[in-house]
Amino acid sequence: MNTFEALNLMLTDMLGPNGPLIGIGVVGAFVILLIVSLMLSRKEDPIDKLNRVQKEGASKKDQRKEALRRKGANAKLDKYKAFLEPKSEEELSSVRLTLMQAGYPSRDAVRAYHLAQMMLGIGGLIVGVLYFVYVKGTEGATTQDTLMYTLGPGIVGYMLPKYWVTRRVNARKEEITSGFPDSLDMMLVCVEAGQSLDQSIVRVAGELRSSYPALADEFQIVAYEMKAGKDKGQVLSDMGERCGVQDVSSFVTVLIQSATFGTSIADALRVYAGEMRDKRVMRAEEAANKLPTKMTLATMMLTVPPLLIILVSPSIIGINNLGAQ
């Protein structure tokens, strides 16, 4: 007898047939109450309190500027940042980078991500318990069924935001990879027409908005950071890190080396744009070569059974008729 069966038997003897379910509900309620009590009893950080007092004493004009400056921030989550942010700086940076690659560059994206995981996990746990009690029924349920129907929806709800972010990262990388050769061609045209690199980036961001919005957003961020006076090499490096695409990282390296050694940016763009066009053609040929292999299974499933029915059915009918005679 393993531990789960012994615990199930003990709860059944003490509380009746619904003992295991009552035990799970009590533990879940205790955990929820503990988390809520810790959140409510948390003292306000002195720095946050000082900032709040300064904001209250500021004029309406200063408050309006502060609100515009912090427009993307969610101040309500600041109180619970100790529960909604990883303790490790490396883990926090990793989650923030993943969310940025998924297209969520907000400063509160990490908190919203962990809040969604917590809320969906608790919601899934509640839905699972209600389904198990009122729909599935607890009579004759084993410990494995109890854990599957109660904890299963909670685990699914907790993992759902991670699955969504992973899908978003992959879709965004595919979009950037598809549109990057076109952006290089447009940038090369702008540079050869006499525009600077900053002006060409702004122009390319505007032209790509309708076709590749993710790539256009990245170029727009680069343009804004350059206008703000940030170092050009650092800005380009940050773009390569945000995109998470090898082609963009190589392009950033080419531009940084071209600026470092004083070579022509137009020549570097011309060579690299040609390589990206060839690479896109090779990707298209690779996808075309994979297509017959992928269609083989579908073709067999859709053609072989009807063909067998057409060929074998007359013989089966004839054999049955002979047997009946």
Side-chain angles (χ1 to χ4, degrees), residues 300-318:
M300 293 177 60
M301 293 177 62
L302 295 176
T303 59
V304 174
L307 183 61
L308 291 176
I309 292 173
I310 294 172
L311 296 177
V312 177
S313 295
S315 301
I316 295 176
I317 295 173

Side-chain angles (χ1 to χ4, degrees), residues 2 4-9 20 24 141-148:
N2 56 24
F4 287 107
E5 293 179 354
L7 183 60
N8 186 18
L9 183 61
I24 293 175
T142 61
T143 305
Q144 183 178 1
D145 293 336
T146 304
L147 294 176
M148 181 178 66

Side-chain angles (χ1 to χ4, degrees), residues 74-238:
N74 190 354
K76 294 182 180 179
L77 297 179
D78 289 341
K79 185 178 181 180
Y80 309 109
K81 62 182 180 180
F83 303 96
L84 300 178
E85 289 184 357
K87 301 297 182 182
S88 175
E89 186 66 28
E90 295 180 357
E91 184 178 358
L92 178 61
S93 301
S94 177
V95 175
R96 182 179 288 116
L97 177 60
T98 303
L99 292 174
M100 290 177 66
Q101 291 178 353
Y104 302 110
S106 172
R107 55 173 297 188
D108 292 324
V110 178
R111 300 174 188 175
Y113 172 72
H114 288 289
L115 179 63
Q117 281 189 321
M118 184 180 67
M119 297 300 294
L120 290 176
I122 296 175
L125 181 63
I126 295 173
V127 171
V129 171
L130 293 177
Y131 175 81
F132 183 71
V133 173
Y134 295 104
V135 179
K136 181 67 178 177
T138 59
E139 297 181 359
T142 61
T143 305
Q144 183 178 1
D145 293 336
T146 304
L147 294 176
M148 181 178 66
Y149 286 105
T150 55
L151 299 181
I155 296 174
V156 172
Y158 182 81
M159 297 300 295
L160 188 60
K162 185 176 181 180
Y163 171 75
W164 171 259
V165 170
T166 303
R167 289 285 303 273
R168 285 274 301 174
V169 169
N170 294 333
R172 198 165 183 270
K173 285 183 178 180
E174 290 180 0
E175 180 182 341
I176 292 175
T177 303
S178 300
F180 193 62
D182 295 335
S183 67
L184 290 182
D185 291 336
M186 287 188 285
M187 191 178 299
L188 176 61
V189 172
C190 293
V191 171
E192 289 183 342
Q195 291 184 343
S196 64
L197 181 62
D198 301 353
Q199 294 173 343
S200 63
I201 289 176
V202 175
R203 183 62 182 270
V204 169
E207 295 293 335
L208 289 176
R209 179 66 58 185
S210 58
S211 302
Y212 306 101
L215 186 58
D217 291 338
E218 293 297 332
F219 280 120
Q220 195 71 46
I221 293 173
V222 170
Y224 286 152
E225 289 183 347
M226 286 183 177
K227 288 181 180 179
K230 194 174 180 179
D231 182 65
K232 185 178 296 185
Q234 184 63 37
V235 170
L236 295 174
S237 300
D238 293 342

